[in-house]
Amino acid sequence: MSGDEINPAAVAQAVEDVQGDDRWMSQHTRFVQECKDAEPEVLFIGDSMVQLMQQYEIWRELFSPLHALNFGIGGDTTCNVLWRLQNGELDNIRPKVTVVWVGTNNHEHSAEQVAGGILAIAQLLTSRLPKTKVVVLGLLARGDGPNPLREKNAAVNGFLRSWLPRLGQAQFLDVGAGFVHSDGTISTRDMFDFLHLTAAGYRAIAKPLSDLLLQILDETPEEKRASLV
Amino acid sequence: MHHIANASLTDKVMSSGDSNPAATPTPCVDIQGDGRWMSLHNHFVSNSKDKEPDVLFVGDSLVQLLHQFEVWRELFSPLHALNFGVGGDETQHVLWRLSNGELAHISPKVVVLWVGTHNHGHTAEQICGGIMAIVQLIKDKLPKAYTLVLGVLPRGKMPNPLRERNAQVNKLVKDAVSSLPHASLLNVDPGFVHSDGSISHQDLYDFLHLTPQGYQAVCQPLHAHLKGLLEKQAEN
């Protein structure tokens, strides 16, 4: 990112209630409350890709046992996640790993800006939680066939691949392999609306992710929980 | 795109296309850049060519997400059901889809219609008009089908104007279908709103969309009702 320009994707911003039922704020408030009661080892934060995962069996199978919290909100951009993290969703918790998955909804921003927003989230996490490891998931391809958003998401991933290692405690994990077939199409068996994952789609990404999480948790020096194995 | 004037309607003005945006067939414009709405529509049209569903579910994300959970396989696959739900769809979008091929190759006995909660900017009367326009369209295209309209669920963690709007939509639709032999409204809210006015995230994970647990509570009675309808259709 060049010099003094402010990256709009790295500016914290709450979602305004335009619909009239204040659901975004209600969800944020619930997460802040969860921080008071829970002691998560893993924190997932992001958009609907994170949120929906908790509704499938795979969450209970692979991530609940890791004492994971899910702070996903559908529709969120990097700006919204930044705001939430700055306004209570990191209070009183000390997760060993934070999984960040956001960026596909940043429609107003360029690929470089989106990557900058994700980087800002990773930086915020490592500064607020000095001992946490940050895993940033790559943005998935989307749409039935090739389209500009696929190129954009791939470009975001490209920036993240080179920027994240410089943070030391952050790493990039690409879970998108296999979704785009040789003819360029994505199947509704994997993404029911060419964006959101089905149970089968989540199963495909959950395995490499949970393997990585187990590895990181295993490496973490403090109290090793027998229940993790 | 194709705008179909419902000339056969003599009902309330709200179901006539010209004066009610919620009842004017309208495709979704691709503003994001990946054409997903049209892809899904085309997928539904081609997907229906070799299927013979007895039941068609059509509507918005409440319908679409239902297809992703176990409850679909348990309760609705055995009824030979197809799912044409699209997240975010408003009544006018469903109207366009059904007018442009999604009913062309199938003859379901029952159509389950669940839409209306995303019609932001429309009044309850307009939304009712949109739903009734869909009911009429189904009647025109599938004269033997029964349309089961599902009541729009409450939403939001605490009482809010959208809950009132949705409740009013249900009331208006119930009145509108009461004289129709081929349609009815089924209230599928099992009591999501607690005595303190709150809705739990265990039922509606974002205070709008159903969790698998929420779907079970909604779908068990729906399934029983559907089976009854199908049996009646079989007798006719």
Side-chain angles (χ1 to χ4, degrees):
Chain A
M1 295 295 305
S2 50
D4 300 332
E5 292 162 24
I6 293 176
N7 175 7
V11 175
Q13 190 162 47
V15 168
E16 205 191 311
D17 178 31
V18 294
Q19 295 180 354
D21 55 6
D22 215 19
R23 294 182 305 106
W24 190 85
M25 195 53 76
S26 297
Q27 293 172 79
H28 166 65
T29 302
R30 182 171 88 74
F31 296 153
V32 173
Q33 184 58 42
E34 271 199 80
C35 284
K36 299 188 178 138
D37 308 324
E39 287 178 12
E41 306 242 292
V42 185
L43 174 68
F44 282 72
I45 187 137
D47 55 26
S48 56
M49 306 303 292
V50 171
Q51 186 170 41
L52 202 52
M53 193 171 6
Q54 192 173 20
Q55 302 310 314
Y56 290 113
E57 257 312 287
I58 195 80
W59 182 267
R60 230 160 21 99
E61 278 178 40
L62 292 182
F63 301 116
S64 296
L66 304 186
H67 305 277
L69 275 192
N70 187 309
F71 286 1
I73 297 185
D76 263 19
T77 64
T78 53
C79 308
N80 308 138
V81 168
L82 270 170
W83 189 95
R84 295 197 279 122
L85 291 174
Q86 289 174 6
N87 286 273
E89 290 186 20
L90 289 179
D91 292 355
N92 306 311
I93 55 171
R94 279 195 175 74
K96 298 197 175 95
V97 191
T98 307
V99 179
V100 179
W101 207 9
V102 68
T104 201
N105 296 321
N106 280 59
H107 295 298
E108 311 292 304
H109 306 134
S110 69
E112 198 182 355
Q113 289 173 330
V114 178
I118 295 168
L119 187 70
I121 291 168
Q123 285 168 329
L124 175 73
L125 288 166
T126 52
S127 72
R128 281 286 304 269
L129 304 167
K131 298 205 170 89
T132 202
K133 297 279 193 297
V134 179
V135 173
V136 174
L137 297 185
L139 302 187
L140 298 182
R142 49 185 289 173
D144 189 10
N147 66 82
L149 290 187
R150 280 199 200 170
E151 291 158 35
K152 181 182 171 189
N153 283 3
V156 172
N157 293 347
F159 286 117
L160 292 173
R161 264 194 198 90
S162 51
W163 296 348
L164 280 173
R166 300 180 206 159
L167 272 192
Q169 279 164 259
Q171 60 183 290
F172 176 77
L173 180 66
D174 186 345
V175 290
F179 287 123
V180 179
H181 299 161
S182 51
D183 63 356
T185 61
I186 285 176
S187 167
T188 52
R189 288 190 217 282
D190 294 322
M191 297 184 191
F192 61 83
D193 60 354
F194 307 111
L195 173 61
H196 295 103
L197 294 165
T198 60
Y202 272 115
R203 200 158 281 279
I205 65 137
K207 193 66 179 58
L209 175 57
S210 88
D211 284 349
L212 177 60
L213 292 177
L214 284 169
Q215 184 193 316
I216 295 174
L217 290 167
D218 215 43
E219 287 165 1
T220 309
E222 310 107 273
E223 350 82 67
K224 225 162 103 168
R225 290 169 178 262
S227 57
L228 283 180
V229 181
Chain B
M1 290 276 156
H2 305 99
H3 282 238
I4 296 167
N6 270 314
S8 54
L9 280 174
T10 50
D11 286 350
K12 306 164 189 152
V13 73
M14 279 302 164
S15 40
S16 119
D18 293 338
S19 52
N20 181 6
T24 308
T26 312
C28 255
V29 177
D30 177 31
I31 42 172
Q32 294 182 356
D34 54 10
R36 294 182 305 108
W37 191 87
M38 196 55 75
S39 295
L40 270 175
H41 167 65
N42 292 334
H43 173 74
F44 293 153
V45 173
S46 59
N47 202 32
S48 58
K49 285 182 180 152
D50 56 356
K51 304 276 200 309
E52 289 177 9
D54 287 334
V55 185
L56 174 69
F57 281 73
V58 68
D60 57 27
S61 48
L62 276 298
V63 174
Q64 186 173 45
L65 208 51
L66 168 61
H67 198 197
Q68 307 313 315
F69 297 135
E70 258 313 287
V71 64
W72 180 267
R73 228 159 31 93
E74 277 173 38
L75 298 182
F76 302 119
S77 296
L79 300 185
H80 305 285
L82 266 195
N83 187 305
F84 287 0
V86 176
D89 262 18
E90 304 176 38
T91 54
Q92 65 274 21
H93 303 131
V94 171
L95 196 55
W96 189 92
R97 292 197 281 120
L98 295 180
S99 305
N100 285 275
E102 289 183 19
L103 293 180
H105 309 115
I106 51 176
S107 306
K109 302 188 170 87
V110 179
V111 179
V112 180
L113 175 63
W114 208 9
V115 68
T117 199
H118 299 304
N119 277 65
H120 299 295
H122 298 152
T123 63
E125 287 74 19
Q126 288 175 321
I127 300 170
C128 172
I131 291 170
M132 293 314 296
I134 298 169
V135 170
Q136 183 62 51
L137 178 78
I138 295 168
K139 174 86 168 64
D140 293 341
K141 289 202 177 270
L142 303 171
K144 298 204 179 97
Y146 190 95
T147 297
L148 185 63
V149 182
L150 302 188
V152 191
L153 293 177
R155 49 186 287 173
K157 180 160 164 61
M158 299 306 293
N160 64 82
L162 291 185
R163 281 200 203 169
E164 292 158 34
R165 183 204 67 179
N166 284 2
Q168 182 64 5
V169 168
N170 294 343
K171 180 176 182 305
L172 291 171
V173 171
K174 189 165 183 159
D175 289 344
V177 295
S178 60
S179 56
L180 301 179
H182 59 273
S184 62
L185 176 93
L186 181 68
N187 175 14
V188 291
D189 176 7
F192 285 135
V193 180
H194 299 164
S195 51
D196 64 354
S198 70
I199 282 176
S200 167
H201 69 275
Q202 316 257 28
D203 296 320
L204 300 176
Y205 64 84
D206 60 355
F207 310 109
L208 171 61
H209 295 103
L210 291 159
T211 61
Q213 167 184 314
Y215 272 118
Q216 281 291 342
V218 163
C219 291
Q220 293 291 346
L222 168 58
H223 173 255
H225 194 90
L226 263 179
K227 282 187 73 173
L229 278 176
L230 287 166
E231 274 154 31
K232 259 204 241 144
Q233 293 286 85
E235 286 163 22
N236 292 344

